[in-house]
Amino acid sequence: MLSYTAFIRPSIRIRPLRHHATRSLATSVFSKTGSTPTAEAEEHLKNVAKYNQYTNAFVDLTQPDHIRSQAIESTRRWESGTAKSAVDGAVMGYKMNFCTSDLRTTCSSAMLENFKAPYTATAIELLEKAGVIMGGKINMDEFGMGSHNVYSHAGPARNPFEILGRSTEEIQELEARSAGGSSGGSAAAVASNMCFAALGSDTGGSVRLPASYCGVVGFKPSYGRISRWGLVAYASSLDTVGTLTKTVSDAQTIYDIMAKEDPKDSTCLTERQRKAIADTLNPIDLTRLKDQDVNAKPLLGVRVGIPQEFNLAELAPATKDLWRRGIQVLKDAGAVVIPVSLPNTKLAVGAYFTLATAEASSNLQRYDGIRYGHQSDKNDEKDALYSHTRMEGFGKEVKRRILLGTYVLTSGSFDNFFLRAQKIRQMVRNDFDRVFSRRNAITGSCGNLVEDFESDNSAATRVHALLTPVAVSTAPKLKDVIGDQIDPVDAFLDDIFTIPASLAGIPSMSVPFGTCTKDGFPMGLQIMSQYGDEEMVFKVAKVIEEKGRGMSNKNSS
């Protein structure tokens, strides 16, 4: 996590945000509630006191008096028309794998239990420049490895969906449900209104799966859109900074603040690359649709694909019905829905866990008990400090993945596993490029496609976005996924719908779309689009979000 080069790289060039004399609370994220930063901060603090003991979402909290003083300053800026941004005064929580100089960065691991970073992550720096208030650091699966937030040194996070408005006695009697993982704490904190929004990290679905389980919006932008500097690495080629919010527009607002070039992160897109992407995203031609009401049908001209390979036998009936309802909503909004094929989807899960564990094995070598982090007190064998430290500091899931990744990288397995997984990853990326109507500006769409991409004969069958489920079912009971109650391989399959987008590095969002009448828990749909085309994701997601409010699923799961 910390390296020599981390201290000699140039600091991020952050342009000061302009103050607008006309900016008022009516243009802020507080306009929906008609509130102020001071009142919202008090509401968040009240909910932390009431719900955090049950959800176990926040692990470290900012001092309440500090939050109050910052909220008062923000309210004054709004009153004087000098607010820093639309989120000035909003309280946000940060997943425990984001470095902050004020609070610990433990990654929910005993290995880093007392570690405090000497710097703050770029994404958080940008948010602070915009006036965001840090509410605290949030629970997660250890080093981001898990699908239910149960592999945490701080204990599991719990789904808060049923607890709102209940008394403390009623809450304690509820049967705990999974909050999802690895950003389960972030989703739980937002869903229980303990903060306005939260940052999470998404490696293979770690933002989108918890969002679906907890009934909030989970957004993973294109790989490289947001700087990873200060995000503790799990799998460097897959890790992406994501957000958990109550609405799609809130996710878009926060994304716009963080999506900046950062010279400290070599994987972060440069301004030149961002411009190249923008140049490929031509507006949809609506001239042929001028007789139709664009306001009544906001998705006119948009083609949405339905991947046939995502219609798995394991899908719960309620999830299938939810998917059908989502398809109908898009049709009613003017979209053309087209069946598409992503033939290599079935290979994605195996390729993902091969690559992710290999990269984790490499990234976690730095935790040796010498430079920082936990150090074992055992000294019963010569040169055994390293092994004792890692045995004590890492949890069982982390050790499992380190062992698997180390095996994958051995000379006898490298070609058969790691290189083959890299080839499958490219095949998955090519599948997406073949179905999307817009060119992949960074990698090039596919070598076998014609030069004029839009004029190709098959252009009419290509799509602007994809719609799929997020999870196989609603949030499982915590007792069914904790301890030895779940097979590790079964846990890997929880991310089966979210992994393909992570392998391809494309933007993806989980949007709440009703609840299941059998257990009353929320269910979400996933929107994906071409690399760099976040605006299309937001556009389709807003339609799903609007129609999904109050929708209840009629089928049982």
Side-chain angles (χ1 to χ4, degrees):
M1 181 174 60
L2 289 177
S3 65
Y4 178 72
T5 56
F7 294 98
I8 63 174
R9 289 175 179 168
S11 61
I12 182 171
R13 303 164 192 158
I14 302 177
R15 297 177 182 175
L17 292 161
R18 295 180 181 177
H19 289 188
H20 299 276
T22 58
R23 180 169 277 159
S24 67
L25 283 170
T27 63
S28 73
V29 295
F30 305 103
S31 61
K32 292 186 289 291
T33 59
S35 187
T36 65
T38 304
E40 286 295 303
E42 288 295 340
E43 180 69 16
H44 295 320
L45 290 172
K46 183 182 74 173
N47 288 332
V48 167
K50 184 175 182 180
Y51 299 131
N52 196 54
Q53 184 177 358
Y54 175 83
T55 62
N56 196 29
F58 278 99
V59 178
D60 286 359
L61 290 162
T62 303
Q63 288 295 326
D65 288 344
H66 182 65
I67 293 176
R68 290 187 179 102
S69 65
Q70 286 190 304
I72 291 171
E73 291 177 9
S74 174
T75 301
R76 289 171 180 165
R77 287 194 295 270
W78 280 110
E79 291 173 347
S80 63
T82 59
K84 296 179 179 180
S85 73
V87 294
D88 191 352
V91 177
M92 286 186 62
Y94 305 131
K95 192 175 177 180
M96 259 295 184
N97 57 349
F98 284 89
C99 289
T100 52
S101 56
D102 296 330
L103 295 175
R104 295 183 305 158
T105 302
T106 70
C107 296
S108 290
S109 174
M111 183 64 78
L112 294 174
E113 185 172 10
N114 298 309
F115 176 72
K116 183 180 286 188
Y119 62 93
T120 297
T122 294
I124 296 177
E125 281 186 358
L126 291 168
L127 290 170
E128 289 178 346
K129 287 284 184 180
V132 168
I133 301 169
M134 177 170 67
K137 301 292 284 292
I138 298 179
N139 202 352
M140 59 180 283
D141 278 301
E142 185 178 6
F143 287 102
M145 302 182 191
S147 298
H148 297 287
N149 211 145
V150 296
Y151 300 116
S152 169
H153 185 60
R158 297 177 182 86
N159 195 315
F161 188 73
E162 285 188 318
I163 70 173
L164 300 182
R166 294 177 182 265
S167 66
T168 304
E169 293 75 17
E170 290 176 322
I171 290 173
Q172 296 303 322
E173 294 177 0
L174 294 173
E175 187 170 32
R177 292 269 187 151
S178 167
S182 63
S183 304
S186 296
V190 175
S192 54
N193 198 31
M194 290 192 281
C195 56
F196 160 72
L199 287 189
S201 60
D202 193 305
T203 307
S206 294
V207 161
R208 291 160 286 160
L209 185 66
S212 179
Y213 283 172
C214 294
V216 297
V217 174
F219 178 51
K220 181 198 83 70
S222 302
Y223 181 84
R225 277 291 195 181
I226 300 174
S227 172
R228 292 187 301 112
W229 196 76
L231 172 65
V232 180
Y234 162 23
S236 302
S237 72
L238 295 159
D239 292 341
T240 307
V241 176
T243 59
L244 292 115
T245 58
K246 299 181 184 72
T247 68
V248 175
S249 60
D250 289 344
Q252 188 171 10
T253 300
I254 296 170
Y255 164 77
D256 288 340
I257 292 170
M258 297 190 295
K260 302 288 189 296
E261 177 184 2
D262 182 10
K264 293 180 287 189
D265 178 9
S266 61
T267 64
C268 189
L269 294 175
T270 64
E271 289 300 328
R272 180 181 61 82
Q273 291 172 319
R274 293 170 194 269
K275 184 179 184 303
I277 292 172
D279 290 343
T280 65
L281 304 179
N282 299 320
I284 296 173
D285 183 10
L286 297 176
T287 55
R288 293 175 298 172
L289 306 170
K290 59 184 178 181
D291 294 333
Q292 301 187 52
D293 188 353
V294 178
N295 293 324
K297 295 190 174 184
L299 296 183
L300 281 174
V302 175
R303 298 188 296 274
V304 179
I306 308 299
Q308 303 304 293
E309 289 77 10
F310 282 61
N311 189 15
L312 303 176
E314 292 84 359
L315 270 179
T319 308
K320 290 185 179 181
D321 185 65
L322 181 87
W323 197 6
R324 294 189 195 101
R325 288 167 177 254
I327 292 170
Q328 187 58 50
V329 164
L330 297 184
K331 288 180 179 179
D332 294 342
V336 176
V337 175
I338 303 171
V340 297
S341 179
L342 301 172
N344 293 297
T345 296
K346 61 182 180 295
L347 305 175
V349 173
Y352 166 81
F353 280 101
T354 299
L355 297 174
T357 55
E359 293 185 34
S361 172
S362 176
N363 280 325
L364 270 60
Q365 286 183 25
R366 68 195 71 181
Y367 303 107
D368 53 14
I370 304 298
R371 290 166 291 181
Y372 48 82
H374 171 73
Q375 184 180 94
S376 176
D377 294 328
K378 293 183 179 179
N379 192 24
D380 56 348
E381 296 179 40
K382 185 179 179 180
D383 302 324
L385 175 63
Y386 183 79
S387 61
H388 284 315
T389 294
R390 290 168 70 83
M391 283 296 294
E392 294 169 5
F394 290 139
K396 66 177 183 179
E397 180 64 19
V398 173
K399 285 186 278 193
R400 180 187 293 123
R401 298 197 189 195
I402 289 175
L403 287 171
L404 180 58
T406 303
Y407 173 74
V408 166
L409 293 174
T410 59
S411 58
S413 304
F414 188 82
D415 290 348
N416 286 334
F417 293 99
F418 187 79
L419 288 185
R420 186 171 294 181
Q422 290 284 26
K423 292 176 181 177
I424 292 173
R425 182 179 192 174
Q426 185 58 50
M427 290 161 60
V428 170
R429 185 182 291 121
N430 289 345
D431 282 350
F432 282 112
D433 286 340
R434 287 189 182 97
V435 301
F436 284 132
S437 63
R438 289 169 169 170
R439 184 183 295 276
N440 189 322
I442 300 300
T443 64
S445 284
C446 281
N448 62 334
L449 294 183
V450 293
E451 183 67 20
D452 187 358
F453 190 67
E454 289 291 343
S455 67
D456 180 38
N457 292 332
S458 61
T461 62
R462 296 202 192 104
V463 298
H464 300 97
L466 299 171
L467 182 73
T468 73
V470 181
V472 173
S473 64
T474 56
K477 295 176 182 177
L478 200 58
K479 67 179 183 180
D480 295 334
V481 295
I482 200 168
D484 297 325
Q485 299 301 314
I486 186 169
D487 187 298
V489 176
D490 292 338
F492 292 168
L493 295 177
D494 288 328
D495 299 323
I496 193 169
F497 295 126
T498 56
I499 281 173
S502 294
L503 285 177
I506 61 175
S508 178
M509 177 178 278
S510 170
V511 184
F513 194 67
T515 58
C516 177
T517 54
K518 183 174 182 179
D519 59 18
F521 275 77
M523 309 172 77
L525 289 176
Q526 178 177 223
I527 299 100
M528 296 178 276
S529 189
Q530 178 60 287
Y531 184 90
D533 196 3
E534 280 77 9
E535 291 302 318
M536 182 56 67
V537 172
F538 293 136
K539 183 175 183 176
V540 177
K542 287 176 181 177
V543 173
I544 292 292
E545 176 185 46
E546 180 182 357
K547 299 298 181 181
R549 289 194 182 104
M551 183 175 289
S552 140
N553 199 300
K554 302 296 183 183
N555 288 345
S556 61
S557 61

